[in-house]
Every structure is written in structure tokens, then in C-alpha cells.
Amino acid sequence: MNTPFTPDPRTNPVLLRQAFGCFPSGVTAVCALDSGSPVGMAASTFTPVSLSPALISVCVQDTSATWPRLRQRSRVGVSVLAEGQDAICRSLAGKADDRFANVDWDADEEGGVYIHGASLWLNCSLHAELPGGDHTIVLLEIQGLKAEPEREPLVFHNSRFRRLAIL
């Protein structure tokens, strides 16, 4: 590789964010009922972690006002958003008081909230939290799931929503 590295990217968070944007990711909605109303957030830092126990991770900004409410719930729903659900993602990532105003959802008897039309729904409980710089790495244990793998995923890359190419 003949291209020199940019020195110390920690001094340029804009450049570092652009660099992280080179990695495409799926987008999830992490949601639960809180006092009978849905509370949720979008997370593009979703990763399957372990088969035994069944664990996933999401990374949450330490400044999040939503995660402290969700972490108190016995169960949270994780919906892996599907192609065409970019407006839902933007709504759940926004600062609006009612992020669910134009979002179709259901809740289960344990309080997990699930977004209609997603490709995967996971019923999860909090397993652990780990410090990760300006984020918290949240490990969630999967208690149940429902998958519709024929639905194409919502892909986030280079600060834009993308489609998968079928070859």
C-alpha cells in the first residue's frame, strides 16, 4: 500500500466518521414499552456475537437519553429494518418527542416493541454492558426470534441508505 496513513485520526472526528462510513451496516430498531408507550432508537452498530448463549450487540452513545429508559425494561424488541424503511430509521434516530408517529408497530406481552415489515425480530433481555469510548457496548441475550429472510435489508453506507445488488 503506497498511500500514507492520515496521522492520528483521533484529532479529526469528521474524518474518522467518514472512515467508519466506509463499512456498510444493517440498521436495527431497539424498542420497548415504557409506561404503556413505545420508546425506541435506531442502531446501525448491530452485530451477532455468540450462538451459545445467543447474544447480539448494539453500541449506544453515552449521551443517549433513550437507552437509560430501555435498559430498565425486562425485554426489548430488536427489529432488523428492511429495504424501504429508511423513513422509519430517520424517525427513530431523530430528536422528535413522538418517534413512532408514522411507524407501525406491535408489542408483545413482555413489553418488547417490534416494527412492522422488518426482516428479523428479536426478543431480547439485557446480558451485559461494557464501556467503549464514547459509547456503551450493549450485549443482549436473544430469548425468541421471528425471521423473514426473503425481505431485503436496509443497508447504511457512506451516510446513505443503499440497496443490495442482486448478481
Side-chain angles (χ1 to χ4, degrees), residues 40-117:
M41 62 185 184
S44 62
T45 53
F46 165 85
T47 305
V49 173
S50 171
L51 294 176
S52 182
L55 297 175
I56 61 168
S57 71
V58 293
C59 296
V60 179
Q61 286 183 330
D62 290 340
T63 58
S64 171
T66 305
W67 176 244
R69 294 175 66 190
L70 289 171
R71 73 185 305 276
Q72 300 302 318
R73 313 281 44 101
S74 63
R75 295 291 171 91
V76 296
V78 176
S79 302
V80 176
L81 299 180
E83 186 177 281
Q85 292 188 308
D86 44 307
I88 292 171
C89 178
R90 284 188 184 95
S91 180
L92 293 174
K95 301 291 184 193
D97 288 336
D98 187 2
R99 294 178 177 177
F100 289 84
N102 296 309
V103 177
D104 293 328
W105 57 274
D106 283 314
D108 64 21
E109 61 280 348
E110 296 168 310
V113 169
Y114 307 91
I115 306 302
H116 289 195

Side-chain angles (χ1 to χ4, degrees), residues 3 16 18 24 33 48 55 64 75 81 84 99 108 127 136 156:
T3 305
L16 191 55
Q18 288 173 339
L33 290 177
L55 297 175
S64 171
R75 295 291 171 91
L81 299 180
R99 294 178 177 177
D108 64 21
H127 181 78
T136 298
F156 193 68

